[in-house]
Amino acid sequence: MTGDDRRFWRVLIMIALVAFVVRVAYVGLAKWDEAIVGDQLFYNAEANRLADGDWFIEPFNPRHEEPGQPLIGDDPAADHPPLTVIMLAPVSFVTDNSVVAHRLTMTVLGVLTVVVIGWLARELAGNRAGWVAAAIAAVYPYLWVNDGLIMSETLAALLVSLALLYGYRLIRE
């Protein structure tokens, strides 16, 4: 690794720390005690069930309003992308189903996205472009807002960034 490489990665790590602070501050100030709603309910509950060994079973019974029907479902579930649930299940297992831990896990994935975006821009246009792209991604609201939610968008952004990075590297080689 050359001195130029070390300098690039040192600056990128500082930008990643800023991204981490932004995301953790958002979770801490705006999302810490907020109830989960919408698809977040599914991802959280499904990760919790997967951590308990239930293997992609619908976390909620859509027929629970009928008399005698339980709240917890027992049918197979395939209506949401599974990778987010797979990423969150070990967190559920270790943290006793903590919603905050799920949110903080998503923030870490968001910070990794910032790093990959910076790395991709460096591959395309040099060190300065990498730093600028990473700095924009670190504070870009449409990225950090998703990172405070328990949703698949954060993981999708990371995977798309990695696909672009490695796709470009493959084409270049």
Side-chain angles (χ1 to χ4, degrees):
M1 186 179 280
T2 68
D4 193 42
D5 289 339
R6 281 192 293 275
R7 181 171 181 248
F8 172 78
W9 287 106
R10 274 194 301 251
V11 172
L12 187 60
I13 288 169
M14 288 190 301
I15 294 169
L17 288 173
V18 169
F20 182 74
V21 168
V22 167
R23 284 151 176 78
V24 169
Y26 174 62
V27 169
L29 297 173
K31 298 292 180 186
W32 196 266
D33 291 328
E34 185 177 86
I36 54 175
V37 295
D39 283 350
Q40 292 182 85
L41 284 169
F42 177 88
Y43 287 113
N44 176 262
E46 185 70 7
N48 295 342
R49 291 213 51 189
L50 186 60
D52 291 340
D54 286 339
W55 290 104
F56 297 103
I57 301 297
E58 180 65 43
F60 307 110
N61 184 351
R63 300 176 301 276
H64 77 276
E65 293 179 5
E66 297 175 14
Q69 292 293 329
L71 178 62
I72 296 175
D74 57 4
D75 294 330
D79 53 341
H80 288 76
L83 193 54
T84 303
V85 171
I86 292 169
M87 293 290 293
L88 292 173
V91 177
S92 291
F93 185 78
V94 170
T95 64
D96 197 29
N97 304 336
S98 169
V99 172
V100 172
H102 282 181
R103 287 185 167 141
L104 292 175
T105 300
M106 300 312 275
T107 65
V108 170
L109 295 175
V111 171
L112 290 174
T113 303
V114 170
V115 170
V116 173
I117 288 170
W119 188 7
L120 172 62
R122 179 190 191 208
E123 294 279 326
L124 292 170
N127 287 354
R128 220 173 253 150
W131 296 327
V132 169
I136 291 170
V139 297
Y140 187 59
Y142 286 116
L143 285 177
W144 60 257
V145 164
N146 286 325
D147 298 345
L149 304 174
I150 306 167
M151 302 280 280
S152 62
E153 284 80 352
T154 299
L155 190 55
L158 175 59
L159 294 176
V160 167
S161 300
L162 283 168
L164 289 170
L165 172 66
Y166 287 108
Y168 173 72
R169 294 179 87 183
L170 180 67
I171 290 169
R172 193 185 65 203
E173 294 294 321

